[in-house]
Amino acid sequence: MPPVHPDPTEVIEAWIPHDARWQAQAREHARHGSERLRLYVTELVRDHRDGARSISDDFDLRTLKAVVEDLQSSGLSDVDWRRVAQALTHPGLR
């Protein structure tokens, strides 16, 4: 039986609400809608930027690389950003 991989939404849902480095910023963006959240997380993962700040810390970059690996080939385009925004703004609701 092949290994089971989480879908892209599950990867982001498991990571961003629980990562203290970016959780507050992500939650703030989620309060303004799923599109703002998508842009913020995409900037983190793809561009290694947290707003105006470039991310250069090795630990942070390794974390972002692990997220990309977990996303596999589908990347961020298949994430249900509404669901991730809900996980950030209303934890425990589904």
Side-chain angles (χ1 to χ4, degrees), residues 5-8 11 67-79:
H5 296 288
D7 72 43
V11 170
V67 169
V68 169
E69 289 171 0
D70 287 347
L71 289 168
Q72 303 206 356
S73 62
S74 54
L76 293 168
S77 63
D78 290 335
V79 172

Side-chain angles (χ1 to χ4, degrees), residues 1 6 24 28 46 52 56 58 61 71 75 84 87 93-94:
M1 180 172 249
E28 183 61 30
R46 187 189 65 204
S56 58
D58 284 340
L61 291 172
L71 289 168
V84 177
L93 290 181
R94 275 264 179 167

Side-chain angles (χ1 to χ4, degrees), residues 5 7 10-11 13 15 24 30 35 43 46 56-57 60 66 73:
H5 296 288
D7 72 43
E10 292 169 332
V11 170
E13 274 184 319
W15 165 56
E35 179 62 15
E43 224 175 53
R46 187 189 65 204
S56 58
D57 178 79
D60 293 345
S73 62

Side-chain angles (χ1 to χ4, degrees), residues 12 15 38-50 55 61 64-65 67-68 71 76-77:
I12 300 302
W15 165 56
R38 183 192 67 77
L39 291 170
Y40 175 70
V41 174
T42 299
E43 224 175 53
L44 278 176
V45 172
R46 187 189 65 204
D47 302 331
H48 302 152
R49 292 175 20 90
D50 183 4
I55 298 170
L61 291 172
L64 296 172
K65 182 180 178 189
V67 169
V68 169
L71 289 168
L76 293 168
S77 63

